[in-house]
Amino acid sequence: MACTIEHCVEDESVIGVKICFQLSEAVPSKDYLDLLIKQDGEDGSYIFCLRQSTGKDHADHEILCRCPYVINEEHVRAKLIRNRSMLRVFAPILTPNEELAAAQECGSKSWKSIGEEEKRHVELDSDARNNALRLKNEGNQAFRAGDFQEAQRLYTESIQIWQEDEFVYTNRALCFLKQGALEDATRDCMECTRKFPNCARAYERLGDIHLSKGDSISAENFFHVALRIQPDHSGCLAGIKQLTSQFQECSISRASSKESRSVPGSLQGAIQYVSECLKAFPIELQTDHERGRCIKSRQDVQEGEVLMEASALAAVVNDKYSGMICSNCFNSVKVEESVVCANECGGVLYCSKRCQVLDSIHHDGECSILSLWNKSTDANQKRGVRGLRLFLRLVYAFSRSNICAGLLNLLEHDKSTSKDSNLLGMARVVNRFVDVNFKLQDEVIASMISKAQRNMHGIVDLKGQNFGHGLYPLASFINHSCEPNAIISFDGNKLVVRALENIPRGTEITIAYVELYAPLDVRRDALLSRKGFLCRCSRCRRPIDHPLESRIAAGPKETIVRAQEGWSSALREYQAHQLKSSHFILMQTLHEVGSVLMYDNWIMFDIYKLLVDVCLGLNLHDETVRYCRLVLGAAKNHLHRNHPIHALMEQHYADAMMRSSDPSKQDAIASYDKALRVLQNIYGRHHRETVRLKQKLHELSKCSE
């Protein structure tokens, strides 16, 4: 797809002109073009509509539409169109009132107005681009010869010289992919989409990478994003075809756009597909006569090892964080770099143009309802509208993808809820906002809502802040235990499951669905109300008088109720940023119940945790140290050594210790070190929480030398 103008070059004395903006080639540097545009002024003598020639509406192309210069056949240098025969070629796409002679004269004056120093920089840029292009071509030859390491080296040298060619990044990513270096390939593609958000090939590569990881949901999403940019992209069409063919046994029967759609009864194909996806990890899907479908280890697993990585079928940011968290990646948004919805619906915020592009396949279906929410002044209506977002995303995921529909069908739920009047009412509201071509039966949506409610995961950080909710079908096959051997953490909105301890081959993988520092009746009530089952794990079968269980629950009922009331009241004040009031209520509650309840009673544990947060906010460092010790002592007795509370409290203890009336660097370093070991096991070595603490520990250790 290029403007074929090279045939107009008459001889060597004529300045060669070639508009060669094929999709496989990179466009010139924005800064380079802006320099030339600036010198041309505002008369628009050379304005031409490249969009008419390429059919592409691209930011860089729009820059070129205003530029009186084009790139010669080596793609290295801007030249003026001085020859009338050349100008005649452009005549059909020049603005109506332009005179060719005036255009020629204007162009000559523009070139003369550029200073010698600026011309020298242009020449230097030209040389760099020329060398980079030569290295890229040599890399292409090495790749075709099967020498991926040499191709990788040449692409790297090309990038070091010139960073404005998007396809060098994607070519090097393919080299990494061929060599199995998936993380390196991902980094190249992410850097490419950061610089060039509309590079379809980079999203294709990301799809291929996630296919290699067994993450079919992300892979298909990346392919769909690329196809929105370039609908005829053969690689992405082939990728989706490959995914669909793997899922044929679980194909979803669909009627015409005006008829309802339903889910088939057979699940065998979907179960087999999940098993294939899990082969990328040291686990497998099995059926147990007592536990039903469950996940077990197919090899010995080490403490901290990744058991599974999963992407959300649908995820939404909680309202509280909608102005701070990216709606696509769930990372923090810098206000000065934030990007909003292209339609300005007011309901989403992105950390980059890339995230806006990636989320488009999910956001389009909810954009109108968010616009309604943004304009509404009714608080109840706003809450109701916001609650529909996840379900709308699920409906469109179901309609867009056989894989998503099949995975949704696999999720367990109470089948009677599809006839529940409340759920059917919610389903009718959801269907009201669904495009006519994607509407489902109300019963199907009601079932979908029930499954989402039963299998939802809160997307939380180390401090327990719930940034949003997501539905992760693969992770939903991991059963609950009050003594889990694995733990879920989040990197952005990517769910990662890691081993809390060494796990022998053939052992069932379990995680915790509820807060573990709680007595039996509290845990069971929470599981029954949220997940619909009664837990019968080994911990729940312990005798009532078991030493650990009895200590957590011990205390007169009326005293525990009073402690709960005090904690709830203090928490409300804390959430309202009334720290002094919260501190007063907590201290008053401790005065009333502290002599009756043991320090490791479950509600006392919650009180001390809240006191740590309040005292930190009030800069009461000595108190923070004291309450951290109490929380850590109780956690040591009742929670797994790799429970996140250890990492959090050790960090709080070290921070407060350094500012206390009796500071100790050695104690602080020891606490940071303990926290780091826990973080490495539950988050991994490269998670931002781990990296941040490692840097802090390094700086403190260096200062103490």
Side-chain angles (χ1 to χ4, degrees), residues 295 308 310 457 472-479 488 495 497 511 513:
I295 300 292
M308 177 194 291
H457 283 88
Y472 298 83
L474 291 184
S476 297
F477 295 112
I478 305 178
N479 287 324
I488 282 177
L495 181 148
V497 183
I511 57 175
Y513 291 178

Side-chain angles (χ1 to χ4, degrees), residues 200-344:
R201 190 176 295 178
Y203 297 115
E204 178 204 4
R205 294 280 186 267
L206 286 167
D208 292 336
I209 292 165
H210 283 80
L211 267 182
S212 301
K213 292 181 176 181
D215 187 352
S216 58
I217 294 175
S218 289
E220 191 174 31
N221 284 343
F222 282 122
F223 290 145
H224 278 297
V225 169
L227 288 172
R228 288 173 70 91
I229 299 168
Q230 187 181 338
D232 60 348
H233 196 293
S234 58
C236 295
L237 291 170
I240 290 177
K241 184 177 180 180
Q242 177 186 344
L243 284 167
T244 304
S245 65
Q246 292 173 358
F247 212 75
Q248 279 181 345
E249 292 183 49
C250 191
S251 61
I252 305 303
S253 62
R254 288 188 170 89
S256 66
S257 61
K258 295 187 178 179
E259 297 174 348
S260 62
R261 303 175 183 183
S262 59
V263 181
S266 175
L267 302 178
Q268 190 57 42
I271 293 172
Q272 180 61 35
Y273 185 78
V274 170
S275 298
E276 290 296 318
C277 290
L278 294 181
K279 286 182 179 179
F281 307 103
I283 55 176
E284 58 187 358
L285 181 66
Q286 292 191 4
T287 301
D288 187 275
H289 68 282
E290 291 183 357
R291 303 278 280 173
R293 286 199 295 265
C294 61
I295 300 292
K296 292 189 177 182
S297 58
R298 56 183 172 84
Q299 63 189 52
D300 292 343
V301 176
Q302 300 300 309
E303 178 181 270
E305 187 174 343
V306 173
L307 298 170
M308 177 194 291
E309 292 182 354
S311 297
L313 199 60
V316 292
V317 174
N318 284 347
D319 302 331
K320 180 180 177 181
Y321 300 101
S322 60
M324 298 178 280
I325 300 296
C326 177
S327 292
N328 178 64
C329 67
F330 278 62
N331 289 318
S332 297
V333 175
K334 295 179 181 178
V335 177
E336 64 275 12
E337 298 176 3
S338 62
V339 180
V340 299
C341 165
N343 297 323
E344 299 183 354

Side-chain angles (χ1 to χ4, degrees), residues 34 282 295 483 529 551 576 658:
D34 279 347
I295 300 292
E483 288 185 314
S529 62
R551 285 186 66 86
M658 291 299 296

